[in-house]
Amino acid sequence: MRADRLVATLLLMQARGRITAAELAEELEVSNATARRDLEALSAAGVPVYPQPGRGGGWSLVGGARTDLSGLTSAEAQALFLVAGPAAAVAPEIKSALRKLVRALPQTFRGDAEAAAGATIVDTAAWGEDTKDRPGLVTMLQEAVVRQVQVRLTYQKRGQAPEGRVVDPWGLVDKDGTWYFVAGTRDGQRTFRLDRIVGATLTGVPASRPADFELAGAWDEVVTAVERKRSETRAVVLVPAKFLKIFQHQHGRHCTVVEDQGEQVRVELTAPLPLDIARNVAGWGGLITVESPEVEEHLARIGAELVSRYPRAAPAEPAEP
C-alpha cells in the first residue's frame, strides 16, 4: 500500500527533521529506489519536501511543515491503534500499515501504541458457531464508497425475484457479523443486506452523496426504524425480582421495567407479533405471569402442543433457570 508509506514518510520526516532515502528504506522495509521514488512523488505532488545533497544531507520538510497527523497526543495514538488493531488480524495490509506507522511515532509513544494494537481481538462467532468470514463483496463496495463511483446491484428480497438497480455507495456497516450496504437510490436512502446481493459491479460513473451525510447518524436512523417495527406488539410480564437481570439479558432493549413490586417486577416486552413474545417467554414456564390475552392464547396453544407431544408427568414445581 503506497498511501501508508507516504504517510509514514511524512511522519518520520517530522519526527526526525531530516532523513535519507537509505534510512527511510530501512525503516519501511523497502528498497532504496522505492524510498527515493516515494520522496520524489511527495515533492511532485506539492508536499513541501526537498533534498539536501552532500555530507549530512537528506530530505526535509520546508520550514518544518507539519500535517495534522503529527499532532497526535499519546492518548490519541493509543485510541487510533486500539481501533485499528482488531482489523489487522484479518487484513495483512492493515497490519503492514500499522507496523510502518508505529515506527513514525515519537519514541515515547511507540510502546503504548504497539500494546494498544494487540490489546483487542474481535471474534464474531458465538460459542458453538463457525468463524464468520467477511463477505467477498465488502472490498469491492468499500472501493466504491472511497472512489465514489456508482454500483450496479442485482438484489434479491426474500421471496422475490432478483432485481437490478444502479446505486450511489454511501457506506458499509457490520452489525454483529451481518453486513449492510447503505446507498442512495432514485427513491432516496436505502439499506441492502450483503447476503442478498447476488451480483455487483463498479460502473465507473461518478456517484453523488449529500454534503451533510454522516454514516453513523444514518445508521442510527436505520436501527431506530427497524427497532420500531420490531416493537409493534407490547405485553406486560410479571417476573420474579431475583431473575430480572437474566430476563433483561435475554430480551435486551425490548424489555423495560414498568414497576418494581418488591419480590416481583412488572416489565414490558415488545416484539413484532404476539406469537414472537409467546415463543420468547415460553421457556420460563410458571416462573412468570403474562398479562396479555393475545400472548396468553399463543402460550396456551404452545403448552398444549408440548403436552401432546411429550405426555409425561410434569414436576410439581417449575425448574428455575
Side-chain angles (χ1 to χ4, degrees):
M1 292 177 64
R2 193 183 190 195
D4 68 6
R5 291 203 316 270
L6 297 180
V7 173
T9 298
L10 282 174
L11 292 175
L12 281 166
M13 294 175 74
Q14 291 170 4
R16 300 185 183 184
R18 185 177 300 168
I19 191 169
T20 66
E23 290 170 341
L24 180 63
E26 182 179 359
E27 286 284 357
L28 302 187
E29 299 177 356
V30 296
S31 68
N32 286 359
T34 296
R36 189 172 294 105
R37 281 196 298 269
D38 286 347
L39 289 164
E40 292 170 349
L42 286 172
S43 180
V47 178
V49 300
Y50 70 100
Q52 285 185 318
R55 186 179 179 85
W59 289 76
S60 303
L61 285 163
V62 176
R66 307 187 69 80
T67 67
D68 291 339
L69 282 176
S70 66
L72 285 175
T73 66
S74 178
E76 290 169 340
Q78 290 178 44
L80 172 64
F81 282 81
L82 278 170
V83 171
V90 295
E93 296 88 350
I94 296 178
K95 183 180 295 184
S96 172
L98 289 181
R99 185 174 63 250
K100 294 171 183 177
L101 288 174
V102 76
R103 291 174 179 170
L105 291 173
Q107 184 65 40
T108 54
F109 290 6
R110 293 186 185 183
D112 288 344
E114 289 176 328
T120 305
I121 291 177
V122 176
D123 185 352
T124 59
W127 295 112
E129 290 185 350
D130 292 331
T131 300
K132 297 178 181 178
D133 295 326
R134 192 173 76 160
L137 280 174
V138 169
T139 300
M140 175 192 293
L141 296 178
Q142 283 177 333
E143 179 183 357
V145 173
V146 172
R147 290 175 49 197
Q148 275 299 282
V149 294
Q150 291 186 334
V151 180
R152 181 173 289 105
L153 294 181
T154 302
Y155 192 72
Q156 184 169 23
K157 294 182 180 179
R158 183 177 298 172
Q160 299 184 20
E163 178 184 353
R165 67 186 76 192
V166 176
V167 303
D168 294 319
W170 291 355
L172 287 154
V173 177
D174 176 4
K175 184 169 180 61
D176 195 25
T178 300
W179 283 81
Y180 296 87
F181 180 43
V182 181
T185 72
R186 289 179 298 179
D187 300 319
Q189 179 181 313
R190 291 292 183 269
T191 304
F192 304 94
R193 281 183 56 141
L194 260 66
D195 56 6
R196 295 178 185 167
I197 297 177
V198 296
T201 56
L202 305 187
T203 65
V205 178
S208 63
R209 181 168 57 191
D212 60 350
F213 177 79
E214 199 267 322
L215 183 58
W219 182 249
D220 283 342
E221 293 178 1
V222 171
V223 171
T224 299
V226 171
E227 294 293 356
R228 187 182 299 117
K229 289 182 179 180
R230 297 178 63 183
S231 304
E232 294 178 347
T233 299
R234 300 176 181 273
V236 173
V237 180
L238 201 61
V239 181
K242 62 181 178 180
F243 299 137
L244 177 62
K245 294 296 184 183
I246 300 174
F247 197 81
Q248 288 177 314
H249 177 72
Q250 288 184 348
H251 297 89
R253 67 171 67 190
H254 297 287
C255 176
T256 305
V257 173
V258 176
E259 181 184 6
D260 187 343
Q261 299 179 342
E263 294 186 357
Q264 302 284 330
V265 181
R266 291 167 63 86
V267 302
E268 182 181 72
L269 291 184
T270 58
L273 299 169
L275 177 58
D276 296 316
I277 295 179
R279 286 171 172 167
N280 290 336
V281 303
W284 285 81
L287 289 174
I288 64 172
T289 301
V290 177
E291 300 178 351
S292 166
E294 289 182 313
V295 177
E296 290 176 21
E297 290 180 7
H298 288 292
L299 283 171
R301 179 181 56 77
I302 291 172
E305 290 175 352
L306 290 173
V307 170
S308 174
R309 176 162 295 188
Y310 310 103
R312 300 178 183 177
E317 296 291 337
E320 294 186 354

